[in-house]
């Protein structure tokens, strides 16, 4: 089973970046040729018939598979970045994190109302950062928005899916 194969190759780093966090280190999946191929191919199968025109990757772990998938889908790739990183005019969305506020940005000309968008990130925990990305993408009024993560954390009472509107299509490859 492919997803068991991915799970077997995912590194868990205890107490990173702070004590108590079990950090799921996807770099071990990105560096592994077969894991990388499995992830991109599985996502391609999930989205190949959806008419996706733009894949939005969230900085920075969402860039790796997001860009490979965009290439395979024949879609464009858009970076959702931390504040001040994108050089041209941007739209922004701010959100609350555990400690203080954060913001993400997308170039104003990166998405249009004719696009069908897939937003991709490596991991769903509380859902806060993806919800901000989702709300940011809605500012562009695309035809449709899909959401994907490689990993969905449901341990320790996490239920990140619950923060999204019920009609949003969310897929994940590995549930932990
Ligand atoms: P959240 O906004 O709480 O859903 O957090 C998701 C973002 O934080 C993703 O970009 C992840 O890369 C990162 N993240 C949060 N918790 C973890 C974790 N336990 N292991 C690895 N990455 C995490």
């Amino acid at each position: 089973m492919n997803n068991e194969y991915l799970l077997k190759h995912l590194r868990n780093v205890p107490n990173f970046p702070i004590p108590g966090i079990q950090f799921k280190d996807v770099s071990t999946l990105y560096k592994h040729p077969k894991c990388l191929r499995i992830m991109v191919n599985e996502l391609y199968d999930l989205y190949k018939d959806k008419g996706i025109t733009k894949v939005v990757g969230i900085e920075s772990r969402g860039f790796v598979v997001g860009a490979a998938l965009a290439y395979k889908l024949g879609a464009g790739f858009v970076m959702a970045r931390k504040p001040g990183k994108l050089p041209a005019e941007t739209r922004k969305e701010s959100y609350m994190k555990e400690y203080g506020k954060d913001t993400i940005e997308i170039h104003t000309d990166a998405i249009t109302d004719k696009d069908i968008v897939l937003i991709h990130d490596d991991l769903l925990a509380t859902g806060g950062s993806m919800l901000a990305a989702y709300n940011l993408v809605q500012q562009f009024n695309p035809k449709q928005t899909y959401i994907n993560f490689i990993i969905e954390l449901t341990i320790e009472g996490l239920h990140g899916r619950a923060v999204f509107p019920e009609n949003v299509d969310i897929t994940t490859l590995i549930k932990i």
Side-chain angles (χ1 to χ4, degrees), residues 6-49:
L6 294 179
L7 198 50
K8 200 173 90 191
H9 289 86
L10 177 67
R11 174 161 57 201
N12 186 74
V13 183
N15 302 316
F16 181 89
I18 54 169
I21 300 289
Q22 300 291 328
F23 193 85
K24 309 302 173 200
D25 177 14
V26 288
S27 74
T28 56
L29 303 184
Y30 294 160
K31 74 168 182 181
H32 192 291
K34 188 171 168 192
C35 289
L36 185 59
R37 204 165 59 238
I38 288 170
M39 292 186 288
V40 175
N41 287 344
E42 285 202 0
L43 291 179
Y44 176 73
D45 284 341
L46 282 172
Y47 291 102
K48 63 178 189 278
D49 300 323

Short mmCIF file of all heavy atoms in Angstrom, two decimals, residues 6-49:
data_model
loop_
_atom_site.label_atom_id
_atom_site.label_comp_id
_atom_site.label_asym_id
_atom_site.label_seq_id
_atom_site.Cartn_x
_atom_site.Cartn_y
_atom_site.Cartn_z
N LEU A 6 4.78 5.55 2.26
CA LEU A 6 5.12 6.95 2.59
C LEU A 6 5.30 7.10 4.10
O LEU A 6 6.27 7.71 4.56
CB LEU A 6 4.02 7.90 2.10
CG LEU A 6 3.80 8.03 0.60
CD1 LEU A 6 2.65 8.99 0.31
CD2 LEU A 6 5.07 8.49 -0.12
N LEU A 7 4.36 6.55 4.85
CA LEU A 7 4.41 6.66 6.31
C LEU A 7 5.70 6.07 6.86
O LEU A 7 6.33 6.62 7.77
CB LEU A 7 3.18 5.94 6.89
CG LEU A 7 2.78 6.26 8.32
CD1 LEU A 7 2.67 7.74 8.56
CD2 LEU A 7 1.44 5.58 8.63
N LYS A 8 6.12 4.96 6.28
CA LYS A 8 7.34 4.28 6.72
C LYS A 8 8.57 5.17 6.49
O LYS A 8 9.56 5.08 7.23
CB LYS A 8 7.48 2.97 5.93
CG LYS A 8 8.39 1.95 6.55
CD LYS A 8 8.35 0.64 5.81
CE LYS A 8 9.40 0.64 4.73
NZ LYS A 8 9.31 -0.45 3.78
N HIS A 9 8.52 6.01 5.48
CA HIS A 9 9.68 6.84 5.15
C HIS A 9 9.62 8.26 5.70
O HIS A 9 10.53 9.06 5.50
CB HIS A 9 9.88 6.89 3.63
CG HIS A 9 10.37 5.59 3.09
ND1 HIS A 9 9.52 4.57 2.74
CD2 HIS A 9 11.63 5.12 2.90
CE1 HIS A 9 10.23 3.54 2.33
NE2 HIS A 9 11.51 3.84 2.41
N LEU A 10 8.52 8.57 6.41
CA LEU A 10 8.37 9.91 7.00
C LEU A 10 9.13 9.94 8.33
O LEU A 10 8.93 9.08 9.18
CB LEU A 10 6.89 10.20 7.23
CG LEU A 10 6.53 11.52 7.92
CD1 LEU A 10 6.89 12.71 7.03
CD2 LEU A 10 5.04 11.54 8.25
N ARG A 11 9.97 10.96 8.50
CA ARG A 11 10.74 11.06 9.75
C ARG A 11 9.96 11.88 10.78
O ARG A 11 9.43 12.95 10.44
CB ARG A 11 12.08 11.74 9.48
CG ARG A 11 12.89 12.01 10.76
CD ARG A 11 14.34 12.24 10.46
NE ARG A 11 14.58 13.32 9.53
CZ ARG A 11 15.71 13.44 8.82
NH1 ARG A 11 16.68 12.54 8.93
NH2 ARG A 11 15.86 14.46 7.99
N ASN A 12 9.89 11.34 12.01
CA ASN A 12 9.31 12.09 13.12
C ASN A 12 10.44 12.65 13.96
O ASN A 12 11.33 11.91 14.37
CB ASN A 12 8.44 11.16 13.97
CG ASN A 12 7.71 11.93 15.05
OD1 ASN A 12 6.75 12.65 14.77
ND2 ASN A 12 8.17 11.79 16.28
N VAL A 13 10.43 13.97 14.19
CA VAL A 13 11.48 14.58 15.03
C VAL A 13 10.82 15.09 16.30
O VAL A 13 10.10 16.10 16.27
CB VAL A 13 12.19 15.74 14.28
CG1 VAL A 13 13.32 16.30 15.13
CG2 VAL A 13 12.70 15.29 12.93
N PRO A 14 11.04 14.41 17.44
CA PRO A 14 10.42 14.85 18.68
C PRO A 14 11.00 16.18 19.15
O PRO A 14 12.18 16.45 18.96
CB PRO A 14 10.77 13.74 19.68
CG PRO A 14 11.33 12.62 18.89
CD PRO A 14 11.86 13.21 17.62
N ASN A 15 10.14 16.99 19.75
CA ASN A 15 10.56 18.24 20.39
C ASN A 15 11.19 19.25 19.43
O ASN A 15 12.12 19.96 19.79
CB ASN A 15 11.52 17.96 21.55
CG ASN A 15 10.86 17.06 22.57
OD1 ASN A 15 9.69 17.25 22.93
ND2 ASN A 15 11.57 16.02 23.00
N PHE A 16 10.70 19.29 18.19
CA PHE A 16 11.13 20.32 17.23
C PHE A 16 9.88 21.01 16.69
O PHE A 16 8.91 20.35 16.34
CB PHE A 16 11.91 19.69 16.06
CG PHE A 16 12.39 20.73 15.06
CD1 PHE A 16 13.62 21.36 15.22
CD2 PHE A 16 11.59 21.09 13.98
CE1 PHE A 16 14.04 22.32 14.32
CE2 PHE A 16 12.01 22.06 13.08
CZ PHE A 16 13.23 22.67 13.25
N PRO A 17 9.88 22.34 16.59
CA PRO A 17 10.93 23.31 16.96
C PRO A 17 10.91 23.67 18.45
O PRO A 17 11.81 24.37 18.90
CB PRO A 17 10.56 24.54 16.12
CG PRO A 17 9.07 24.45 15.93
CD PRO A 17 8.74 23.00 15.92
N ILE A 18 9.88 23.20 19.18
CA ILE A 18 9.83 23.47 20.63
C ILE A 18 9.44 22.18 21.35
O ILE A 18 8.85 21.28 20.74
CB ILE A 18 8.81 24.60 20.97
CG1 ILE A 18 7.42 24.27 20.39
CG2 ILE A 18 9.28 25.96 20.50
CD1 ILE A 18 6.30 25.17 20.88
N PRO A 19 9.77 22.07 22.64
CA PRO A 19 9.44 20.86 23.39
C PRO A 19 7.96 20.52 23.28
O PRO A 19 7.10 21.39 23.30
CB PRO A 19 9.81 21.23 24.84
CG PRO A 19 10.83 22.31 24.71
CD PRO A 19 10.49 23.06 23.47
N GLY A 20 7.68 19.23 23.09
CA GLY A 20 6.29 18.76 23.04
C GLY A 20 5.76 18.56 21.64
O GLY A 20 4.79 17.85 21.43
N ILE A 21 6.41 19.18 20.61
CA ILE A 21 5.93 19.02 19.23
C ILE A 21 6.59 17.79 18.60
O ILE A 21 7.80 17.61 18.68
CB ILE A 21 6.26 20.28 18.37
CG1 ILE A 21 5.60 21.53 18.95
CG2 ILE A 21 5.86 20.06 16.91
CD1 ILE A 21 4.10 21.62 18.82
N GLN A 22 5.75 16.95 17.96
CA GLN A 22 6.25 15.82 17.18
C GLN A 22 6.28 16.29 15.73
O GLN A 22 5.25 16.31 15.05
CB GLN A 22 5.31 14.61 17.32
CG GLN A 22 5.16 14.09 18.73
CD GLN A 22 6.45 13.44 19.23
OE1 GLN A 22 7.21 12.85 18.46
NE2 GLN A 22 6.70 13.56 20.52
N PHE A 23 7.44 16.70 15.25
CA PHE A 23 7.54 17.31 13.94
C PHE A 23 7.62 16.25 12.85
O PHE A 23 8.49 15.38 12.86
CB PHE A 23 8.77 18.22 13.87
CG PHE A 23 8.77 19.13 12.67
CD1 PHE A 23 8.10 20.34 12.71
CD2 PHE A 23 9.44 18.76 11.50
CE1 PHE A 23 8.08 21.18 11.60
CE2 PHE A 23 9.42 19.59 10.40
CZ PHE A 23 8.74 20.79 10.44
N LYS A 24 6.69 16.33 11.90
CA LYS A 24 6.67 15.39 10.77
C LYS A 24 7.52 15.97 9.65
O LYS A 24 7.12 16.95 9.00
CB LYS A 24 5.23 15.16 10.27
CG LYS A 24 4.24 14.78 11.35
CD LYS A 24 4.65 13.52 12.07
CE LYS A 24 3.74 13.25 13.26
NZ LYS A 24 4.33 12.35 14.24
N ASP A 25 8.68 15.38 9.45
CA ASP A 25 9.70 15.95 8.56
C ASP A 25 9.55 15.38 7.15
O ASP A 25 10.11 14.33 6.83
CB ASP A 25 11.08 15.65 9.15
CG ASP A 25 12.20 16.13 8.27
OD1 ASP A 25 11.94 16.93 7.34
OD2 ASP A 25 13.35 15.69 8.49
N VAL A 26 8.82 16.11 6.28
CA VAL A 26 8.58 15.61 4.93
C VAL A 26 9.82 15.65 4.03
O VAL A 26 9.77 15.14 2.91
CB VAL A 26 7.44 16.37 4.21
CG1 VAL A 26 6.09 16.02 4.77
CG2 VAL A 26 7.68 17.86 4.22
N SER A 27 10.91 16.23 4.52
CA SER A 27 12.12 16.24 3.68
C SER A 27 12.58 14.81 3.37
O SER A 27 13.20 14.56 2.34
CB SER A 27 13.25 17.04 4.33
OG SER A 27 13.81 16.32 5.41
N THR A 28 12.22 13.87 4.25
CA THR A 28 12.61 12.47 3.99
C THR A 28 11.76 11.85 2.87
O THR A 28 12.18 10.89 2.24
CB THR A 28 12.49 11.61 5.26
OG1 THR A 28 11.14 11.72 5.77
CG2 THR A 28 13.47 12.07 6.33
N LEU A 29 10.58 12.42 2.63
CA LEU A 29 9.76 11.97 1.49
C LEU A 29 10.20 12.67 0.21
O LEU A 29 10.22 12.08 -0.87
CB LEU A 29 8.28 12.26 1.73
CG LEU A 29 7.66 11.66 2.99
CD1 LEU A 29 6.16 11.96 3.04
CD2 LEU A 29 7.90 10.15 3.06
N TYR A 30 10.58 13.94 0.34
CA TYR A 30 11.00 14.69 -0.85
C TYR A 30 12.32 14.15 -1.41
O TYR A 30 12.53 14.17 -2.62
CB TYR A 30 11.18 16.18 -0.50
CG TYR A 30 9.92 16.93 -0.12
CD1 TYR A 30 9.99 18.12 0.59
CD2 TYR A 30 8.66 16.46 -0.48
CE1 TYR A 30 8.84 18.83 0.93
CE2 TYR A 30 7.52 17.17 -0.14
CZ TYR A 30 7.61 18.34 0.57
OH TYR A 30 6.48 19.05 0.90
N LYS A 31 13.21 13.68 -0.52
CA LYS A 31 14.53 13.24 -1.02
C LYS A 31 14.50 11.83 -1.58
O LYS A 31 15.45 11.39 -2.24
CB LYS A 31 15.57 13.30 0.11
CG LYS A 31 15.40 12.20 1.12
CD LYS A 31 16.60 12.08 2.06
CE LYS A 31 16.39 10.92 3.02
NZ LYS A 31 17.48 10.76 3.96
N HIS A 32 13.41 11.10 -1.32
CA HIS A 32 13.33 9.69 -1.69
C HIS A 32 12.65 9.57 -3.06
O HIS A 32 11.45 9.87 -3.18
CB HIS A 32 12.50 8.97 -0.61
CG HIS A 32 12.57 7.49 -0.68
ND1 HIS A 32 12.00 6.78 -1.71
CD2 HIS A 32 13.11 6.59 0.16
CE1 HIS A 32 12.20 5.49 -1.49
NE2 HIS A 32 12.87 5.35 -0.37
N PRO A 33 13.37 9.14 -4.09
CA PRO A 33 12.80 9.18 -5.44
C PRO A 33 11.44 8.49 -5.56
O PRO A 33 10.52 9.01 -6.17
CB PRO A 33 13.86 8.47 -6.29
CG PRO A 33 15.13 8.66 -5.54
CD PRO A 33 14.76 8.65 -4.08
N LYS A 34 11.31 7.30 -4.93
CA LYS A 34 10.04 6.58 -5.07
C LYS A 34 8.91 7.29 -4.32
O LYS A 34 7.79 7.38 -4.81
CB LYS A 34 10.20 5.13 -4.58
CG LYS A 34 8.99 4.29 -4.88
CD LYS A 34 9.20 2.81 -4.59
CE LYS A 34 7.86 2.09 -4.63
NZ LYS A 34 7.96 0.73 -4.09
N CYS A 35 9.22 7.81 -3.14
CA CYS A 35 8.18 8.55 -2.38
C CYS A 35 7.74 9.79 -3.14
O CYS A 35 6.54 10.09 -3.21
CB CYS A 35 8.71 8.96 -1.00
SG CYS A 35 8.92 7.59 0.13
N LEU A 36 8.70 10.49 -3.73
CA LEU A 36 8.35 11.70 -4.49
C LEU A 36 7.43 11.33 -5.66
O LEU A 36 6.41 11.98 -5.91
CB LEU A 36 9.64 12.39 -4.98
CG LEU A 36 9.46 13.72 -5.69
CD1 LEU A 36 8.78 14.76 -4.79
CD2 LEU A 36 10.82 14.26 -6.16
N ARG A 37 7.78 10.24 -6.32
CA ARG A 37 6.97 9.80 -7.47
C ARG A 37 5.57 9.38 -7.03
O ARG A 37 4.57 9.72 -7.65
CB ARG A 37 7.68 8.67 -8.21
CG ARG A 37 7.25 8.56 -9.65
CD ARG A 37 8.17 7.71 -10.47
NE ARG A 37 8.28 6.36 -9.94
CZ ARG A 37 9.40 5.79 -9.55
NH1 ARG A 37 10.54 6.45 -9.61
NH2 ARG A 37 9.40 4.57 -9.08
N ILE A 38 5.50 8.63 -5.91
CA ILE A 38 4.19 8.19 -5.39
C ILE A 38 3.31 9.41 -5.10
O ILE A 38 2.14 9.46 -5.49
CB ILE A 38 4.35 7.34 -4.11
CG1 ILE A 38 4.93 5.97 -4.44
CG2 ILE A 38 3.01 7.19 -3.38
CD1 ILE A 38 5.35 5.16 -3.21
N MET A 39 3.87 10.40 -4.39
CA MET A 39 3.06 11.57 -4.01
C MET A 39 2.54 12.31 -5.23
O MET A 39 1.35 12.62 -5.32
CB MET A 39 3.90 12.52 -3.13
CG MET A 39 4.23 11.94 -1.77
SD MET A 39 5.05 13.11 -0.70
CE MET A 39 6.67 13.22 -1.43
N VAL A 40 3.43 12.57 -6.18
CA VAL A 40 3.02 13.35 -7.36
C VAL A 40 2.01 12.55 -8.18
O VAL A 40 0.98 13.07 -8.62
CB VAL A 40 4.25 13.76 -8.20
CG1 VAL A 40 3.81 14.47 -9.48
CG2 VAL A 40 5.16 14.67 -7.39
N ASN A 41 2.26 11.25 -8.34
CA ASN A 41 1.34 10.43 -9.16
C ASN A 41 -0.02 10.28 -8.48
O ASN A 41 -1.05 10.32 -9.16
CB ASN A 41 1.94 9.04 -9.43
CG ASN A 41 3.09 9.13 -10.43
OD1 ASN A 41 3.22 10.13 -11.13
ND2 ASN A 41 3.90 8.10 -10.49
N GLU A 42 -0.04 10.09 -7.16
CA GLU A 42 -1.33 9.95 -6.47
C GLU A 42 -2.14 11.24 -6.57
O GLU A 42 -3.35 11.22 -6.78
CB GLU A 42 -1.12 9.60 -4.99
CG GLU A 42 -0.70 8.16 -4.81
CD GLU A 42 -1.00 7.63 -3.42
OE1 GLU A 42 -1.53 8.37 -2.58
OE2 GLU A 42 -0.68 6.46 -3.20
N LEU A 43 -1.45 12.36 -6.41
CA LEU A 43 -2.16 13.64 -6.51
C LEU A 43 -2.63 13.89 -7.94
O LEU A 43 -3.73 14.39 -8.17
CB LEU A 43 -1.27 14.79 -6.02
CG LEU A 43 -1.01 14.74 -4.52
CD1 LEU A 43 -0.11 15.88 -4.10
CD2 LEU A 43 -2.32 14.82 -3.75
N TYR A 44 -1.81 13.50 -8.89
CA TYR A 44 -2.22 13.64 -10.29
C TYR A 44 -3.51 12.85 -10.54
O TYR A 44 -4.46 13.36 -11.15
CB TYR A 44 -1.10 13.17 -11.21
CG TYR A 44 -1.50 13.20 -12.66
CD1 TYR A 44 -1.62 14.40 -13.35
CD2 TYR A 44 -1.79 12.01 -13.34
CE1 TYR A 44 -2.03 14.43 -14.67
CE2 TYR A 44 -2.20 12.04 -14.66
CZ TYR A 44 -2.31 13.25 -15.31
OH TYR A 44 -2.72 13.28 -16.62
N ASP A 45 -3.56 11.63 -10.03
CA ASP A 45 -4.77 10.80 -10.22
C ASP A 45 -5.99 11.45 -9.56
O ASP A 45 -7.09 11.40 -10.09
CB ASP A 45 -4.57 9.40 -9.65
CG ASP A 45 -3.70 8.56 -10.57
OD1 ASP A 45 -3.57 8.92 -11.76
OD2 ASP A 45 -3.14 7.55 -10.11
N LEU A 46 -5.78 12.07 -8.40
CA LEU A 46 -6.91 12.72 -7.70
C LEU A 46 -7.45 13.93 -8.47
O LEU A 46 -8.65 14.21 -8.43
CB LEU A 46 -6.47 13.18 -6.30
CG LEU A 46 -6.38 12.14 -5.20
CD1 LEU A 46 -5.76 12.76 -3.94
CD2 LEU A 46 -7.77 11.60 -4.87
N TYR A 47 -6.55 14.66 -9.13
CA TYR A 47 -6.95 15.98 -9.67
C TYR A 47 -6.94 16.08 -11.19
O TYR A 47 -7.32 17.12 -11.73
CB TYR A 47 -6.05 17.07 -9.05
CG TYR A 47 -6.34 17.24 -7.58
CD1 TYR A 47 -5.50 16.69 -6.62
CD2 TYR A 47 -7.51 17.88 -7.16
CE1 TYR A 47 -5.79 16.80 -5.27
CE2 TYR A 47 -7.80 18.00 -5.81
CZ TYR A 47 -6.94 17.45 -4.87
OH TYR A 47 -7.25 17.56 -3.54
N LYS A 48 -6.55 15.01 -11.88
CA LYS A 48 -6.37 15.13 -13.34
C LYS A 48 -7.66 15.49 -14.08
O LYS A 48 -7.60 16.07 -15.17
CB LYS A 48 -5.74 13.87 -13.92
CG LYS A 48 -6.56 12.61 -13.77
CD LYS A 48 -5.82 11.45 -14.44
CE LYS A 48 -6.66 10.20 -14.51
NZ LYS A 48 -6.69 9.40 -13.31
N ASP A 49 -8.81 15.15 -13.51
CA ASP A 49 -10.09 15.42 -14.21
C ASP A 49 -10.81 16.66 -13.67
O ASP A 49 -11.99 16.86 -13.97
CB ASP A 49 -11.01 14.21 -14.11
CG ASP A 49 -10.38 12.98 -14.73
OD1 ASP A 49 -9.70 13.14 -15.76
OD2 ASP A 49 -10.54 11.88 -14.17
#
